[in-house]
Structures are given as C-alpha cells and as structure tokens.
Amino acid sequence: MAFDPSNGFVASSDVPGLADELLPIFDVEQVQLQFSIAADFVSAQTANNVLILALSNGRILRIDLNKPEDIDDIDLPKKPTEVGVIRRMFLDPTASHLIICTSQGENYYLHSQSRHPRPLARLRGVSIESIAWNPSLPTASTREILIGASDGNVYEGYIEHSTEFYRKEEKYLKVLHKLPDGPVTGLWVDTLPGAGTDTRRIVISTQSRLFHLVGKVGKNDGSGSIYSKLFEVEQPVVHELPRSSAATAAASDLVISPDTPQDTSRPHDGEVNERVFAWLSSHGIYHGQLLLSPFTSELGNKVFNEAQLLPRTQLMTPERSGGRRMTASNDYINAIALTHWHIISLIGDRVVAANRLTGEIVYDQVILNQGQKAIGLCVDIQKNTYWLFTTQEIFEIVPRDEDRDIWKIMLKLKKFDAALKHAHTPAQKDAVAMASGDYLLSKGQFNEAAGVYGKSSKPFEEVALAFIDHNQPDALRKYLLGKLSTFKKGYIMQRQMIASWLIEIFMAKLNSLDDTIITRAELSETLNPTQTREQLDAVRAEYQEFVNRHKSDLDRKTVYAVIGSHGREEELLYYADAINDYHFVLSYWVQRERWSEALRVLQRQTDPEVFYGYSTVLMTHVASELVDILMRQANLEPRNLIPALLEYDRNYKGPLSQNQAIRYLLYVVNQLQSSDSAVHNTLVSIYAAHPSTSKDESALLSYLESQGDEPRFDPDFALRLCIQHHRVLSCAHIYTSMGQYLQAVQLALAHDEIDLAIIVAERAHSNPPLRKKLWLAVAKKVISQSNGIKTAIDFLRRCDLLKIEDLIPFFPDFVVIDDFKEEICSALEEYSRNIDSLRREMDESAATAANIKVDIAALDQRYAIVEPGEKCYVCGLPLLSRQFFVFPCQHAFHSDCLGKRVLEQAGPGKAKRIRECQVQITKGLVKGRKREEMIGELDGLVGEACILCSEYAIKRIDEPFVKENEDKEEWAL
C-alpha cells in the first residue's frame, strides 16, 4: 500500500496520468516520515498493516498504518549498553506477537496489547535466526512455535502474554533437533487441507540444505511439546547444495509468498492457493510451490522435483545504472521477498524483480545512494505490501497489476486454462481462445477445439470449413452453439442463420443415429448400438434444450421446412409445442386422424380460440372426451361452441341420454348458471328435434319446468319448435307459462289429451271466469266423446264452478231428462236456498239503513256542556277565555293550543297544509267565501281528533310521564 500523506506519511514520487499498462510492474517509492528520528534504524518488521521500527538507541516504534498519527514509543527494560543493540525482530502475521533479539543474546517478548517488553528467560543466550509461527495464528498467545538458532538448534516454544511480573512469558521451551549445518536461516510450518489439523508440514533452511518434513504432531494439552513426535518419527526430504567456501559468506533466507488477495473480480488459477517458497543461497534462489498433496513423505520429493533454481548470475548485471562498476562485496544477493508472481531481490544498492515462472527481469533499478546500508526486505503477507528498510529511510515497493503478463507466459507454456483465467481484457481472452483452439485442432481434439473457438474472434468461415474438411459435424454443432451465444440480440440475421443451420445439423445427426440403430450397424469402432441409442437420447435432449433456449432466433417456416424434409415428426412437433404453435400441432394430428394425440394437446391449451376452431371436427369423432375437456375450461364462451354442438347433433343417432351436446349444454345451464338465451334455445331445439321413436318428452318437459316463471329461452321460438315436432306436453307448458291457458287447453283437446287440458284449466285458479270457461271447453270435449250421462255427471263433480245447467247445452237434443233428474232437482233446491238467503240479507240491509237515518238526524242536535270553571287540557287556563274545541270525549282545548300540539304530532304533509292555511288566513291572502272554506278546512285538520285519546296519544307512547322540567316529588306516593 502507498502511504496517505494526510495520515503522517508522504510518498516521495507519484506518476499520475499514465495508463497501467505503460507503467513498470514495480515502483519503489520513498516514504517521508513527518516526524524526526533520533537514531538509525537497526531492524524493522511489518504485518497486518502494523509497522515496527527498532532504533539503535533501544527504542521501538509501533505504528498502526490505519492510524499512523498514533505511535507507540516503547523502550527495552535495559539500555543498549547493558544488553546490546537490537539485532533482529520477528513479528507474527497478525501483528499480535513480537520477539526482539539483541546483539548480546537477550530476547524479549512484546504483545500488541502491551507497551512493556518482557524478557524471555529460557531463551537467554540463544541467538534466534528464524521463527515459524503457529498456523492457526492465535492472538492471545503464540501457541506452539518453532525457533531456529544460529547454532543449528531447532526449538519448540510456547509464549503467552502475562501481566504478572513474577511469571515467565514462555510456558515451555524444548530442543527438538540440532543441525550440523550452522545457523537455521528459515522456518515454515503449515497445515495440509484435507489431512486434518494434526498433520503439518515443516520446511527448514540452512545455508546449504533445505529440509521438508510431513507428519502428525502430538496432542495439544498445553503442557508439553507437540512436534517431538514428528521429528522423532519422520525422516525429512533434503535438498542439498554442493558445498563451497563461498556458501558461508552468502546470505541465506527462506521466504513464503503472501496470502491470496481477496479479490473475486479476478479469479486466479487454483495453484495460487498453494503458497510459493523461495530459498536464498549462494547459488541463487531456489523456488517452487508448496504443494498440498499427497500427505506422505513423497510430498517433499514432489515439491523439490518441481522447484527450480533462479541462478544468481542471471540477476547480476555487469554495470549499475550510471556506469559504476560492481565491487566484489556485492556479488551476492543480500535479501529476497516473494510477491504472488515475482521474486524481489536486494543486490547491493539495486532492487531487482524477476518473474518466477520465466526468470525474466521485469524491474532493475538502483535505489540506494552510495554509502547507504540496507537493513532488509519485509513483507506484510496478509495485506500484500512490500517494504525496503535502510538505516535512515523507508521505501515501499508497490506492484502495479503484476499479473498483467501472466496470461502470455501461461500461453507459451501451453497452459491455456490458466492463461484464460489470468487474461483480463477481452482481447487477451480472445488471443488465448484462438491459440488454444489452434492447438487442440492440431492435436485432433475437435470437440474441445469447438468449445474454445466458439468464444474467440477467429473468422467464422475458417473455423466452420476446418470442421467440415475434417468431417466433424459434432464439433461443428458445438462450435455453432458456442458462437450463437456470443452474438448480441441485435444481430438478428446472424443469429437466425446460425440457428437454422444448427437445426439442419441436428436433424442430420438424429437421422444418422436412427439409421445406425435400425441397421444394427456399428457407428464406430468404439461405439456399439446400445451406446448409439444413448447418444441418440443425448442428441435429442440437446436439440430440445437448443429449441427452448433459442426459439426466438428461429424462423418458423424455415424450421418447419427443414425438419419436414428430414421426416422428423417428433422433433417437428416438439418445436411447434415450444413456440406455442398449437394450431400447427392440432392440425397435424387432426389431418392424420390421431384423435388421442390431438386431445392431449388440446387439454393443455388456455386460448379459447383453439377450442372454437377444432371443436367441430373433434365433436364428430371424440365427443365424450372433448366434452370432458370443455367442462374443465372456465374461460370458454359456450355461445361460440353452438355450431359444433348442432353439427354433432345433426349426425347423432343414439339415445338422448348419451347425447354429448345435451350433456355439455346442461353443464353450462346448471353448473355455470348461464343466462345466454342462445345456449338455452339450442338446448330446447336439440330436445325438441330429437328423432326418438317414442313420444317421451320427460327430458324436455323437465328442463322447461326448471326454468320457472322467468325462462331464459325464447318462448316463441320454443313454442314453434314444439308445435313443429308435435311436443304436445311441452307446448301446453309453454302456453301456460305465457298465460295463454285457452290455447293450451285447445291444443290439449285437439290431441285428445283430456287430463292435460284439466291440469291446465286448474292452473287458472286466480281467474274464476277464465277457469270456468276452460272447464266448459273440457266438458264439451268430454261430453262429445262420452256415450252416457254418467260420464258427464262424474266430470261435473270434479269442478266446483260447473253446474248442471252449464252442461245441458252440450247434451244432444234427444237426451231424456230422466237420466239426470236428480241433478236438476238438487240444482233447483240449491237455487231455493240461495233465494232465501238473499231475502234475509235484504231485510237486514233495510233495517241497518233505517238506523243510519235516525243517527244522522240525531247529529244535528248533538251538544256538549262546558262548565264555567273548565280549563284547557294543554295550557291549564280557563277554556272560555278564547276560542276552543270540545270533543265527544269531553276533552277541551284552546284553538291555538290544539293547533300547536297537532303540528308537533302530525305528519309532514298535514303539518305543511295547516301552516299554509294559517298563513293565508292571518295575512288576509284569501277573502270572502274562499276564506270561509279555508277556515273550515283548517278547523277540520286541527279538530280531526282529540290529541289525548286518539291515535295521537298512541304515537306518544314512548314519551315519559314525568318531563325533565317537572318536579318528580309530585309523583311520590
């Protein structure tokens, strides 16, 4: 990371405005501190964005780069004169644990939550050269760590932070192994994913040898060593350099690549997840990947076999920039650091970066001035930052898109998948795709080449002709599918042409496979007929997927023509079904009279027009099944199906109970409650016109009776049909429902349906004259058909309206009266009784009239006595003080008091009229006789009834006896 000037640091150089591809991959920027330093730097470390600087005066500066303005200034417990200057520091990747080593063998531990270094008593006198931190990266304590010393000893230690002064920091310290090679210059421990947390890998480096161990560690009970078992049981795999006198003079170090950046926008090859190691020796830089499998000792051999050496001489140049000659002291590499793809080397005053895949030098620049001394290179493996420290200055090595050329390298190495993953721009990906396709084509891997070519910009005609020349239709199909997916939706013509070509290729392939299966021939040397069937199913499934995905790119007529020319019925219908061309599918099955297939297609439809269009032909051949489907469709308009139903009924010769048209119409009428008169009229017409051998009208009559008094069919239309087809009962019912009882009776009598005529005549019970007329018509018919008087007499007893005298005109002139003498005598006696009853009623009426005349005469002399002290029943004042009303009930009221009460209790119309009369009388709007009439009308309205004992009192039943303004105590008993 580059420092933010606003946070206390200023980068010494910046190159704005240049495109990334024109800039060098690395840039070394000097960091200018915004505070003064009292002494030279003697050591430095960085991890997790925390920078630790050790000064020659024994001070330690701890800087959080996220908040660089806050600096922890820490002093060692003793002065440098007592313990020596700080020689080295080791900081774990989380920046939680810091181990400080001095030149006199004193070692201190400093936790990130503390400002006071604590001495490590057990490590006193141990000159630490390297440390391998615990792979789980704990923060509270170090847990089990490995420590490499300058005397070749490898220790296991456990250090935990403690605030108690008397307690030692190191929990335990144990010597695991001693190497005779001299200082242990590097240590690394990690776990192998998939092998369990107890399987670990240890890498140890000295100046001349590199060790690789894999094995299980002991249980971690917190009290003893866990690595002892591994060192005792496992034998390391060793990579050794030839011994030379110069080996001890050269620097030696072991570095590991940083964590993979958390950047999902650029997915890298899976190999990047495997860390890379680099071992600095006198011969150069030996580097390779720390492979993660197998979990045995063979892993070390595999790692070393795949590793390679970057010779020291390859990094040397004969002259520095500026023409200064290199001195002998600068013949060796001073320090190294690993990025994700490059090895950074500090050689004298130069920083050299080489690509670790090719060894190519990508950066070589003189950074240090003459006389400057470098402390070393540091890497923040979690934050991916790289630092160069001198005794007085800090430099940051900033990589800029360091994987920009990795795709080219992978391309040269024929690692096309890796090259494609590291290609960033479309042009780079296209170049990888073309190169990969050419390579696969040259190797005869046509299908693989087709998949790659489909994503490239290689000329379409070249690729297509190449596959055609090699007779590879499968590869051509795969290429066209890939190419089709690369065209945008706007390229309509191109997409349509390729899609149509693919249809042709699919059909040819399917026909070829079908021919192979039919002839039971071998498709190829490696494919038998059974496998051919499997391939046929796979190609058909691929075709169906293609149609579903690209149906919008296909021209309907072209596809029908191509598939039809190959005779592929199943594929043709699948395409039509995919584009919802159900008219085509239905017409296809109908033309071939395959009704079951047509019905299967029809029952999946929801468009009403499809049902209307094919209902006629389907009703003719599969009526029952079609009606089942129609009854499940709720969005149909039954009116539009009437032509199909009538056509079916015209050709139907079976019984009425199995007529499918009637079945559907009854469903519409009874279940859907249809009120469409066309539907009802159709049902009536089918019922009426059905050519049944019997005169059974029960079905039609049952329907007509179910319609009630407000039928939804046209009665005139139904009547004409019933008359035309001689449906007498139905005609009579329709006449009756229309109120035409006489016509109904006449029709029934015309067809000798006496009982029906009687039933109709009885229905006119609300019109006695009409009923008698109807009965007379029936009686006339009965008498004309009977042979004797007895029949007529029995019929007479069935109706209470008919008398013997009504029937006498219907008898022939030669009938002898003796045959019904008794009936005549009974009639005469009845007349006599009626005459006597009428005479009594007349006498009673005359007496009542006389009494009424007497009462009328007495009204003129009626009066009421008013006592002198009598008061108004409303206001309580003397009644004789002004005009008053007296009622027969002896209640008396002043005229104005009575008028007010009547206005309060009268209805709106009566109250309005009273007010109008009062206004016209008081204002003199009427005079003379008219005024007298209005006064009489007003008196009549006001004095119509007593307000205390008439219906006025009844209306006041909800009023309380005691009003709110009255004294309730007066009602106390």
Side-chain angles (χ1 to χ4, degrees):
M1 59 168 284
F3 285 104
D4 186 352
S6 63
N7 289 337
F9 295 87
V10 178
S12 61
S13 61
D14 195 8
V15 190
L18 292 178
D20 288 345
E21 61 270 15
L22 299 180
L23 295 174
I25 294 178
F26 291 95
D27 187 19
V28 180
E29 301 177 352
Q30 183 178 354
V31 179
Q32 295 181 351
L33 302 177
Q34 298 301 304
F35 50 86
S36 59
I37 303 299
D40 291 344
F41 301 139
V42 293
S43 183
Q45 283 293 329
T46 180
N48 199 23
N49 244 14
V50 174
L51 181 63
I52 308 292
L53 298 175
L55 306 183
S56 59
N57 58 6
R59 290 174 55 197
I60 297 174
L61 303 180
R62 183 167 58 194
I63 306 170
D64 186 351
L65 297 180
N66 294 320
K67 296 184 294 183
E69 63 277 6
D70 297 333
I71 302 175
D72 292 336
D73 194 344
I74 302 169
D75 291 322
L76 290 179
K78 296 182 179 181
K79 296 181 180 181
T81 56
E82 300 177 25
V83 296
V85 298
I86 296 175
R87 180 178 63 87
R88 297 193 69 167
M89 293 188 299
F90 300 94
L91 183 64
D92 80 306
T94 66
S96 299
H97 313 288
L98 176 67
I99 293 179
I100 307 159
C101 307
T102 67
S103 57
Q104 295 184 11
E106 295 290 338
N107 298 303
Y108 297 90
Y109 170 76
L110 177 65
H111 193 268
S112 59
Q113 302 298 322
S114 174
R115 296 170 58 92
H116 304 287
R118 301 291 296 273
L120 300 174
R122 289 191 175 95
L123 285 172
R124 179 173 296 173
V126 177
S127 179
I128 300 176
E129 294 293 333
S130 57
I131 291 180
W133 301 101
N134 194 292
S136 61
L137 301 180
T139 57
S141 66
T142 64
R143 299 276 295 276
E144 302 82 13
I145 61 174
L146 297 182
I147 302 173
S150 59
D151 58 1
N153 281 328
V154 177
Y155 297 89
E156 178 184 350
Y158 190 123
I159 303 174
E160 58 184 357
H161 174 59
S162 175
T163 57
E164 300 174 0
F165 179 77
Y166 61 85
R167 185 175 178 182
K168 293 183 179 180
E169 299 293 322
E170 59 268 46
K171 196 171 183 180
Y172 67 83
L173 183 70
K174 180 178 181 180
V175 177
L176 298 175
H177 193 72
K178 180 174 178 60
L179 298 174
D181 301 33
V184 178
T185 58
L187 281 171
W188 172 257
V189 175
D190 62 2
T191 58
L192 300 177
T197 56
D198 58 344
T199 300
R200 298 191 182 181
R201 180 227 314 270
I202 302 175
V203 181
I204 307 172
S205 69
T206 64
Q207 289 182 329
S208 59
R209 287 195 296 176
L210 188 63
F211 301 85
H212 186 284
L213 292 92
V214 175
K216 293 184 178 297
V217 297
K219 291 185 178 180
N220 183 7
D221 56 6
S223 60
S225 170
I226 66 172
Y227 288 102
S228 299
K229 176 182 176 182
L230 190 151
F231 276 88
E232 292 171 358
V233 175
E234 301 295 338
Q235 291 296 322
V237 178
V238 182
H239 176 75
E240 186 172 2
L241 296 177
R243 295 186 177 273
S244 65
S245 59
T248 56
S252 177
D253 196 6
L254 176 66
V255 294
I256 307 297
S257 61
D259 296 342
T260 302
Q262 300 299 319
D263 182 9
T264 58
S265 63
R266 290 184 180 180
H268 293 283
D269 189 5
E271 295 180 352
V272 176
N273 295 328
E274 299 174 339
R275 293 184 183 271
V276 177
F277 74 93
W279 175 39
L280 175 60
S281 66
S282 59
H283 290 242
I285 302 171
Y286 185 69
H287 62 92
Q289 287 186 331
L290 290 175
L291 305 176
L292 301 177
S293 62
F295 307 137
T296 63
S297 59
E298 291 299 321
L299 179 61
N301 293 324
K302 188 175 180 182
V303 168
F304 291 153
N305 289 336
E306 295 185 8
Q308 55 186 347
L309 178 67
L310 179 63
R312 176 171 58 90
T313 55
Q314 189 171 335
L315 300 175
M316 301 297 176
T317 55
E319 294 186 358
R320 296 184 184 178
S321 301
R324 296 193 296 271
R325 298 290 299 177
M326 295 178 58
T327 60
S329 61
N330 291 328
D331 285 342
Y332 295 105
I333 303 172
N334 303 104
I336 59 172
L338 272 178
T339 67
H340 293 290
W341 297 105
H342 296 84
I343 302 173
I344 301 175
S345 304
L346 177 62
I347 306 175
D349 52 6
R350 295 166 41 236
V351 173
V352 180
N355 188 292
R356 64 177 178 82
L357 298 177
T358 63
E360 178 186 359
I361 306 298
V362 299
Y363 183 84
D364 187 353
Q365 195 71 29
V366 175
I367 301 301
L368 305 182
N369 296 324
Q370 191 169 5
Q372 277 187 312
K373 180 182 179 182
I375 298 175
L377 296 170
C378 292
V379 179
D380 186 341
I381 65 173
Q382 288 193 347
K383 301 300 181 180
N384 290 260
T385 56
Y386 312 93
W387 305 85
L388 169 63
F389 297 94
T390 68
T391 56
Q392 296 180 345
E393 294 177 343
I394 302 174
F395 297 90
E396 183 179 5
I397 304 173
V398 182
R400 289 192 180 92
D401 195 17
E402 66 164 321
D403 63 342
R404 68 177 72 164
D405 295 327
I406 299 302
W407 70 276
K408 295 179 182 179
I409 299 171
M410 295 297 182
L411 199 60
K412 293 179 181 178
L413 298 174
K414 305 298 182 184
K415 297 181 179 180
F416 300 106
D417 291 339
L420 187 60
K421 290 180 180 180
H422 293 287
H424 301 160
T425 65
Q428 294 173 358
K429 294 179 181 179
D430 184 60
V432 173
M434 286 193 290
S436 176
D438 294 341
Y439 176 80
L440 293 172
L441 187 67
S442 66
K443 296 295 184 180
Q445 300 177 12
F446 299 105
N447 287 335
E448 293 80 359
V452 176
Y453 275 140
K455 301 176 183 179
S456 72
S457 63
K458 193 174 181 68
F460 177 81
E461 60 276 10
E462 291 185 18
V463 179
L465 289 173
F467 289 132
I468 293 174
D469 292 342
H470 288 86
N471 192 23
Q472 294 294 325
D474 293 342
L476 178 60
R477 183 178 76 248
K478 185 175 182 179
Y479 169 69
L480 293 178
L481 286 170
K483 202 65 180 177
L484 182 60
S485 64
T486 62
F487 283 110
K488 297 180 180 178
K489 292 294 183 182
Y491 292 88
I492 299 175
M493 183 59 67
Q494 291 89 333
R495 293 178 67 91
Q496 201 171 92
M497 291 178 63
I498 294 177
S500 300
W501 191 3
L502 279 166
I503 292 293
E504 171 67 30
I505 294 174
F506 272 117
M507 296 305 105
K509 181 64 176 180
L510 290 170
N511 279 339
S512 174
L513 293 173
D514 277 341
D515 294 341
T516 302
I517 293 173
I518 293 173
T519 59
R520 296 184 179 181
E522 295 289 337
L523 184 65
S524 67
E525 295 180 357
T526 59
L527 203 62
N528 57 42
T530 302
Q531 293 172 325
T532 305
R533 292 188 187 91
E534 295 176 356
Q535 187 178 11
L536 176 64
D537 295 337
V539 174
R540 182 176 288 116
E542 185 181 353
Y543 160 77
Q544 293 174 357
E545 181 184 0
F546 165 75
V547 168
N548 291 330
R549 179 177 299 178
H550 297 285
K551 55 188 174 185
S552 60
D553 299 321
L554 293 168
D555 178 69
R556 180 178 304 184
K557 293 182 179 180
T558 303
V559 174
Y560 284 157
V562 171
I563 301 179
S565 66
H566 286 271
R568 304 294 303 182
E569 177 183 279
E570 181 179 349
E571 285 71 28
L572 181 66
L573 294 175
Y574 186 89
Y575 170 72
D577 188 68
I579 63 174
N580 297 327
D581 190 0
Y582 301 114
H583 289 285
F584 177 86
V585 180
L586 281 170
S587 63
Y588 183 90
W589 292 126
V590 168
Q591 289 171 8
R592 287 155 180 79
E593 297 186 358
R594 295 170 65 172
W595 310 116
S596 59
E597 287 82 355
L599 288 175
R600 277 198 294 270
V601 176
L602 185 66
Q603 67 184 359
R604 300 199 306 268
Q605 308 311 308
T606 57
D607 183 10
E609 295 300 327
V610 177
F611 292 91
Y612 304 150
Y614 291 92
S615 59
T616 301
V617 64
L618 292 176
M619 277 296 294
T620 304
H621 297 88
V622 281
S624 178
E625 293 81 356
L626 177 63
V627 170
D628 290 339
I629 295 174
L630 295 179
M631 290 169 64
R632 291 195 291 268
Q633 300 296 321
N635 60 338
L636 296 180
E637 187 64 41
R639 170 190 288 265
N640 297 330
L641 295 170
I642 290 176
L645 299 176
L646 292 176
E647 178 64 22
Y648 162 80
D649 182 68
R650 187 175 65 85
N651 299 316
Y652 180 71
K653 305 300 181 183
L656 195 65
S657 60
Q658 298 180 8
N659 190 307
Q660 298 301 316
I662 292 179
R663 177 184 166 214
Y664 178 70
L665 291 173
L666 287 177
Y667 166 78
V668 173
V669 170
N670 298 328
Q671 302 298 324
L672 302 183
Q673 301 294 320
S674 174
S675 60
D676 190 349
S677 60
V679 173
H680 289 265
N681 290 338
T682 303
L683 181 58
V684 171
S685 68
I686 295 176
Y687 270 134
H690 182 70
S692 72
T693 56
S694 64
K695 294 184 179 181
D696 183 14
E697 300 180 41
S698 58
L700 175 58
L701 198 59
S702 175
Y703 164 74
L704 295 176
E705 291 174 351
S706 68
Q707 293 298 297
D709 296 333
E710 297 181 359
R712 294 174 179 175
F713 58 86
D714 184 354
D716 294 332
F717 172 76
L719 188 61
R720 288 195 302 271
L721 283 175
C722 291
I723 292 173
Q724 178 184 352
H725 296 283
H726 309 290
R727 307 298 181 185
V728 179
L729 297 178
S730 302
C731 287
H733 179 84
I734 295 173
Y735 273 132
T736 304
S737 64
M738 297 170 66
Q740 299 178 7
Y741 298 100
L742 183 58
Q743 289 83 346
V745 170
Q746 291 174 349
L747 178 65
L749 295 177
H751 289 82
D752 297 329
E753 296 286 349
I754 303 298
D755 293 337
L756 176 60
I758 293 174
I759 293 172
V760 173
E762 278 298 313
R763 290 179 180 174
H765 54 80
S766 62
N767 190 347
L770 176 60
R771 181 183 174 209
K772 182 175 181 180
K773 184 178 180 180
L774 298 176
W775 273 101
L776 286 173
V778 177
K780 183 178 180 181
K781 182 71 174 179
V782 171
I783 293 173
S784 66
Q785 292 181 348
S786 63
N787 297 324
I789 299 302
K790 185 174 179 12
T791 304
I793 298 305
D794 294 339
F795 180 78
L796 178 64
R797 292 170 180 166
R798 297 176 64 177
C799 179
D800 56 350
L801 295 178
L802 297 182
K803 305 297 180 180
I804 188 63
E805 62 269 24
D806 297 326
L807 302 182
I808 289 176
F810 302 142
F811 288 104
D813 295 338
F814 54 82
V815 173
V816 180
I817 195 171
D818 293 341
D819 294 334
F820 47 94
K821 179 174 60 176
E822 294 180 0
E823 283 73 15
I824 293 176
C825 292
S826 298
L828 291 176
E829 291 175 357
E830 181 67 25
Y831 283 138
S832 178
R833 286 192 295 270
N834 290 339
I835 290 172
D836 292 341
S837 176
L838 290 174
R839 184 181 294 113
R840 285 193 298 273
E841 289 178 1
M842 290 173 63
D843 293 342
E844 292 174 357
S845 298
T848 301
N851 293 333
I852 291 174
K853 288 180 180 180
V854 172
D855 291 340
I856 292 173
L859 287 175
D860 295 337
Q861 299 178 1
R862 187 177 60 176
Y863 62 91
I865 298 175
V866 179
E867 299 293 337
E870 191 166 351
K871 297 180 181 180
C872 174
Y873 275 85
V874 175
C875 63
L877 297 176
L879 187 65
L880 300 176
S881 62
R882 55 184 185 274
Q883 186 179 0
F884 61 89
F885 282 85
V886 179
F887 292 93
C889 59
Q890 296 302 313
H891 291 139
F893 308 93
H894 289 133
S895 300
D896 54 345
C897 295
L898 180 62
K900 290 179 181 179
R901 287 296 180 90
V902 171
L903 284 174
E904 292 175 357
Q905 301 179 26
K910 185 176 181 179
K912 181 180 179 182
R913 183 56 184 166
I914 291 174
R915 292 191 186 94
E916 290 177 353
C917 292
Q918 288 177 341
V919 170
Q920 293 184 15
I921 293 171
T922 55
K923 293 185 177 181
L925 299 178
V926 292
K927 296 181 180 180
R929 184 178 179 181
K930 191 172 183 181
R931 185 174 184 276
E932 294 298 330
E933 292 177 353
M934 188 166 289
I935 291 174
E937 181 184 0
L938 179 61
D939 290 343
L941 293 172
V942 174
E944 181 180 7
C946 175
I947 61 174
L948 296 180
C949 55
S950 65
E951 69 175 271
Y952 286 118
I954 297 175
K955 292 181 180 179
R956 296 172 57 196
I957 194 171
D958 58 340
E959 294 183 7
F961 285 108
V962 183
K963 303 289 182 64
E964 293 182 357
N965 55 357
E966 293 181 354
D967 186 8
K968 297 181 180 180
E969 298 298 331
E970 294 179 357
W971 292 80
L973 298 178

